[in-house]
Amino acid sequence: MRFLVLGAGLQGTACAYDLLRNPQTDRVTLVDNDSGLVQSVPARLVSDKLRTVENDCADESALAAMAAEHQVVISALPYRLNLAAAKACIGAGTHFVDMGGHIKTVLAELRLSKIARDAGVCLVPDCGLAPGLTNVLVADAIAELGEVRRVRIRVGGLPAHPRPPWNYQMVFSPEGLISQYTGSAAILRDWNRTDVDALTGVETIEFPEPLGTCEAAYTSGGSSTLPWSY
């Protein structure tokens, strides 16, 4: 298969690395508008299946032309670019996956479902860690357990060797992180979907050392579409 990865930051490079290790991968094209990032990738991901391209991922027509040469596009772009990227991929007839993180953008993408199906395109937003993997695990657990009264999802960048003052590992886009810390978070309360302010509902959680005491709070986007589904 031929994959186009949008964004050559930490997440995009990690995606390309995993894809290059898969024997079913024929080609991975990694594109970014940052020439420094693009030029540094081949030295880190040595593979004859890898291509790097310097291009503006915000240019919908250029993105559609690149997407048409691939079977799957994976977006590791800031969330604000994902809706346009999804539209470009539908126009190109190429399957599209992104890491999401911004629920209003995700709901706008999901409203493209009919035209995506008509174009034979699989459109899958919100496929990062949280939202993403955590939501899949929750849905699977609910299906297995049958009767579930409460679900709590907690996730964070907790390093094996934390360093003060934050004791936090910055592996996500700062833009996406700020989005999760502002606005509102969709939750289920008393079996009804409701919105609460981000960074409210603060709780402390005790972990074994070296993590120790950590704080958790509501963040925007992390629950993805689960509050709508359930």
Side-chain angles (χ1 to χ4, degrees), residues 43-162:
R44 291 180 287 147
L45 304 180
V46 180
S47 173
D48 57 4
K49 297 180 181 180
L50 175 68
R51 290 175 52 198
T52 57
V53 176
E54 182 183 345
N55 210 328
D56 185 2
C57 295
D59 185 335
E60 195 170 328
S61 59
L63 183 53
M66 288 188 292
E69 299 177 0
H70 300 79
Q71 292 163 288
V72 180
V73 172
I74 301 172
S75 173
L77 299 171
Y79 68 84
R80 58 186 168 79
L81 300 177
N82 282 335
L83 181 58
K87 292 177 179 178
C89 288
I90 292 171
T94 305
H95 304 305
F96 178 76
V97 180
D98 70 45
M99 298 183 189
H102 187 260
I103 190 60
K104 290 183 179 179
T105 301
V106 169
L107 293 176
E109 289 177 76
L110 293 177
R111 287 194 284 270
L112 302 173
S113 293
K114 185 180 185 306
I115 61 172
R117 282 196 300 268
D118 291 345
V121 169
C122 184
L123 185 67
V124 191
D126 257 3
C127 285
L129 170 61
L133 177 60
T134 55
N135 309 106
V136 173
L137 292 173
V138 165
D140 186 61
I142 290 173
E144 288 291 324
L145 293 171
E147 181 180 342
V148 176
R149 295 187 180 134
R150 177 179 295 173
V151 174
R152 292 181 178 178
I153 302 173
R154 298 187 182 100
V155 64
L158 305 180
H161 304 288

